[in-house]
Amino acid sequence: MNNIPPNEFVYPFSVHLKKGKEEKRYLREELFNTSQEDKIIEIISQQSCACTRDENGIKFWPPLYMQRYMAVQEVIEHPIWSGTIKKVVDFGCSEMGLFKCIKPIPGLNNIMLVDVDFDTLDINQFKVLPTNNDHISMHERKEPLTVDIYNGSIADQDDRMLGVDAVICIELIEHLYLDVLDSLPNNVFEFIKPKLAVFTTPNVEFNILFPNFTTQFRHDDHKFEWTRKQFKEWAKKIITRYPEYAVQFDSIGAGPSGTENIGCCSQMAIFYRKDMTTSPVKLIDSTPYKLLRRVDYPYELDDENHSERSMYEKLGKLVSKASCNKKYVLGHNMEIPLN
């Protein structure tokens, strides 16, 4: 009979009498299938992304790394948080690409960038410095923003990570050795206890679309790459261990038309506390991370900064006006009289 499910499933049913005989009526699978998770956030940015394939391979627009940043930015500033995401840590920040995308988010007071690779941090730390535009437009920032760069591992617990509202791990977990990966849930979900944690990782099923793909993984440093099922199993073990959290799954970087069955290039898990709160801070007197740099961004709290803002605004207008006048342009340089 068509209304009887396969033997391996035990579907909910009700019993009814039909012509004097009992009949089981099963619910349709989609009405109760727990694999179809409820989503609290819809990733709108993916709707405007595209992917093409030609003799040179797969091309994403915008580039895949930017699609990841866009998705994470969208999650952090989603209205569901009501502006309560104040403190963010980006584990595995590498070249600090995400920072530029989340820096303008209103309400962020502290962005912490953490990576185990000291040399990469040292080379790229200049990227967190305020630009001329940050000074000129300081009146648009009404709250302080402090940016901290730390050298450390996500496996280690550091008191300065407490009070974090959002933990971000973009394409990080596949670089971790098993012992570090096993330590991650304890640090993030038991020690830091953020209201939001976002993880992205490659979808190994997508690799068949890459031409001349002869290596085991996409990157030499990858310790593993998971299927969509494996990633979901990992995430669901976490929420089983920490039932105060729920998880939503999404995909980033859809392939060309006709490849929907293998999923997207990257997969994302959005963990969130069911009560939408950040847990109270409980210090353990541990600060293993090395602070490499701290930067405080200019902002306008009240009229105290008015004179400084006016100076930068006047300077910006002067430079803009002079750049349109050829007499101030000397080769590749520009000389502007200040009187």
Side-chain angles (χ1 to χ4, degrees):
M1 296 176 63
N2 292 333
N3 68 326
I4 297 179
N7 292 332
E8 61 266 27
F9 292 99
V10 180
Y11 289 172
F13 62 86
S14 58
V15 178
H16 300 264
L17 288 176
K18 185 176 182 180
K19 296 182 179 180
K21 295 182 180 181
E22 289 187 350
E23 180 184 76
K24 294 180 180 179
R25 295 182 182 176
Y26 291 88
L27 293 177
R28 296 193 308 275
E29 178 184 1
E30 62 267 22
L31 296 180
F32 61 89
N33 190 345
T34 56
S35 66
Q36 299 179 2
E37 297 83 6
D38 292 332
K39 291 190 175 184
I40 64 167
I41 297 174
E42 183 179 1
I43 308 300
I44 304 296
S45 60
Q46 279 295 293
Q47 298 177 6
S48 60
C49 298
C51 178
T52 59
R53 177 168 54 177
D54 56 26
E55 64 276 6
N56 297 317
I58 297 288
K59 293 183 180 179
F60 293 98
W61 187 90
L64 186 60
Y65 74 89
M66 184 56 64
Q67 291 189 35
R68 296 189 191 106
Y69 296 161
M70 290 163 56
V72 170
Q73 176 186 355
E74 193 173 347
V75 172
I76 293 175
E77 62 181 350
H78 195 277
I80 196 171
W81 310 115
S82 302
T84 60
I85 303 292
K86 300 290 186 181
K87 190 174 183 180
V88 175
V89 57
D90 179 13
F91 282 112
C93 64
S94 188
E95 298 177 358
M96 307 178 192
L98 176 66
F99 170 73
K100 187 176 180 180
C101 292
I102 65 174
K103 179 180 71 172
I105 295 179
L108 284 188
N109 297 144
N110 191 191
I111 300 175
M112 296 185 288
L113 307 170
V114 182
D115 202 286
V116 73
D117 189 332
F118 173 85
D119 291 336
T120 298
L121 293 176
D122 190 43
I123 293 172
N124 291 280
Q125 61 174 299
F126 73 93
K127 294 180 180 179
V128 306
L129 296 176
T131 63
N132 289 337
N133 186 64
D134 288 317
H135 288 282
I136 293 172
S137 61
M138 60 183 290
H139 60 285
E140 298 178 5
R141 186 178 294 279
K142 302 300 182 182
E143 297 182 61
L145 171 63
T146 299
V147 182
D148 297 316
I149 301 176
Y150 290 102
N151 181 212
S153 169
I154 193 172
D156 299 327
Q157 298 178 352
D158 190 299
D159 283 346
R160 291 165 293 187
M161 301 298 108
L162 293 174
V164 160
D165 299 302
V167 168
I168 309 299
C169 299
I170 298 179
E171 308 294 288
L172 169 67
I173 59 175
E174 65 273 10
H175 292 272
L176 304 180
Y177 287 104
L178 184 59
D179 59 332
V180 178
L181 183 66
D182 288 343
S183 300
L184 183 154
N186 179 263
N187 186 26
V188 174
F189 299 100
E190 188 166 324
F191 177 65
I192 301 176
K193 297 181 179 178
K195 69 179 65 177
L196 168 68
V198 181
F199 294 83
T200 76
T201 193
N203 168 24
V204 71
E205 299 167 72
F206 195 90
N207 290 354
I208 62 172
L209 296 182
F210 297 127
N212 304 316
F213 191 83
T214 57
T215 58
Q216 184 179 9
F217 301 128
R218 298 182 194 177
H219 191 282
D220 291 342
D221 189 56
H222 286 186
K223 309 304 186 291
F224 60 86
E225 288 178 3
W226 282 336
T227 63
R228 288 168 290 173
K229 180 180 179 181
Q230 289 172 316
F231 185 47
K232 287 187 176 183
E233 288 175 347
W234 175 77
K236 289 182 177 180
K237 285 180 181 178
I238 290 177
I239 62 174
T240 299
R241 182 176 172 185
Y242 303 102
E244 64 271 27
Y245 283 91
V247 64
Q248 166 183 326
F249 297 101
D250 270 287
S251 300
I252 302 172
S257 178
T259 64
E260 293 80 6
N261 62 310
I262 62 173
C264 294
C265 193
S266 281
Q267 44 193 338
M268 178 167 64
I270 303 171
F271 295 88
Y272 57 94
R273 286 183 63 92
K274 295 176 182 177
D275 60 7
M276 296 290 183
T277 64
T278 300
S279 291
V281 172
K282 295 182 180 179
L283 300 176
I284 61 171
D285 194 25
S286 174
T287 54
Y289 295 174
K290 180 181 180 181
L291 178 63
L292 302 186
R293 189 160 203 160
R294 169 167 290 173
V295 177
D296 292 314
Y297 268 65
Y299 71 102
E300 184 179 73
L301 180 61
D302 48 37
D303 290 338
E304 292 180 5
N305 294 321
H306 179 73
S307 59
E308 184 179 354
R309 172 168 63 87
S310 298
M311 179 187 70
Y312 279 111
E313 286 181 342
K314 291 178 181 178
L315 180 60
K317 292 178 181 178
L318 179 63
V319 172
S320 178
K321 183 178 180 180
S323 64
C324 299
N325 194 326
K326 292 183 178 180
K327 72 177 183 179
Y328 297 133
V329 179
L330 302 175
H332 295 291
N333 300 316
M334 185 167 60
E335 293 186 1
I336 306 173
L338 297 179
N339 52 11

